[in-house]
Amino acid sequence: MAFFDTHTHLDYLHQFTQEPLENLVQNALSAGVEKMLVVAVLQRDFETIKNLTALFPEHLRYGLGLHPLYIKEHILTDLDVLEQYLSQRHVNLTAVAEIGLERAIPELTAELVWKKQCQFFEAQLYLAKQYQLPVNLHSRKTHDQLFTFLKRIDVAQKGVVHGFAGSYDQAKRFVDLGYKIGVGGTITYERANKTRQAISKLPLDALLLETDSPDMPVFGFQGQPNRPERITNVFQALCELRTESPEQIQETIWHNSIDLFG
């Protein structure tokens, strides 16, 4: 079975583990992970990610964006740099990512900081629209606010709400707008009842698989850096929640992923 890990920070996994990049990619390939999308969080990582993915052009795609968790570090000229990269449109640059909104950390909800988050998110949505690229979206305790932006700014290629943890109704609103839902390690935990129920009921053609490596560890590997090959754990958990055959689930999600980020 072939899998597409639609959300990884492979550059950070490489830095954290100090393992050769070739080993990390080979381990993923051995588990059937044929393609991976490497997403950025800071402007200073853009060139590193571009060069890293160029080493494995058959298997690695990348997205560039400014992550809301680092909103205090971002400056306006970072948006100019992002636009320069998007305008050059390197062949494996297939997303504006990782972008979004964050309200789980109190200091990032202060009025001026939140205003800056919204400013940067809106600007990046317009860049995605201008350059006809899908978005890979961070949303933590911000589903309602995120939805408002996505409804107002029509990104032609849509994208995915990554690492979704929420209710069926919240997910369905995004799906009805044309967005996919990123299924990650959350569903491997039985206590994640609300999210597991949502993922079990959503249309199969609305789902993507991801690891968020080295973050969002799957059950049984808590405290360890997450890895792209553990997408098979997520897939197994997904199969247990769905009524379709594993073959149908794999094939549908593979095509969903390729159509969006391939």
Side-chain angles (χ1 to χ4, degrees), residues 86 96 123-135 155-156:
L86 298 180
V96 176
Q124 292 179 94
L125 286 177
Y126 277 118
L127 285 174
K129 182 175 182 176
Q130 179 181 347
Y131 290 100
Q132 296 285 297
L133 286 166
V135 290
V155 178

Side-chain angles (χ1 to χ4, degrees), residues 137-152:
L137 299 164
H138 175 96
S139 179
R140 210 158 53 148
K141 296 193 174 180
T142 59
H143 290 337
D144 291 343
Q145 295 92 336
L146 196 84
F147 178 82
T148 301
F149 275 98
L150 299 181
K151 189 173 182 181
R152 179 167 58 85

Side-chain angles (χ1 to χ4, degrees), residues 16 20 28 33 43 51 67 80 84 99 115-116 140 152-153 157 160 169 180 194 199-200 209 236 245 250:
F16 184 80
V33 185
Q43 184 266 120
N51 294 336
H67 195 298
D80 298 327
Q84 289 171 13
I99 68 173
K115 186 176 179 181
K116 186 180 177 184
R140 210 158 53 148
R152 179 167 58 85
I153 303 170
Q157 300 303 316
V160 59
D169 290 339
K180 306 295 187 189
K194 182 171 64 174
I199 298 304
S200 72
L209 289 173
Q236 183 178 357
S245 70
Q250 180 275 327

Side-chain angles (χ1 to χ4, degrees), residues 156-177:
Q157 300 303 316
K158 306 304 181 186
V160 59
V161 181
H162 117 81
F164 182 79
S167 70
Y168 171 78
D169 290 339
Q170 289 172 319
K172 187 67 164 53
R173 292 175 80 200
F174 292 124
V175 171
D176 288 345
L177 273 185

Side-chain angles (χ1 to χ4, degrees), residues 69-88:
L69 275 176
Y70 303 91
I71 192 63
K72 291 184 175 182
E73 297 182 47
H74 302 325
I75 56 177
L76 284 175
T77 53
D78 291 342
L79 290 168
D80 298 327
V81 175
L82 175 59
E83 181 165 15
Q84 289 171 13
Y85 275 88
L86 298 180
S87 66
Q88 293 164 6

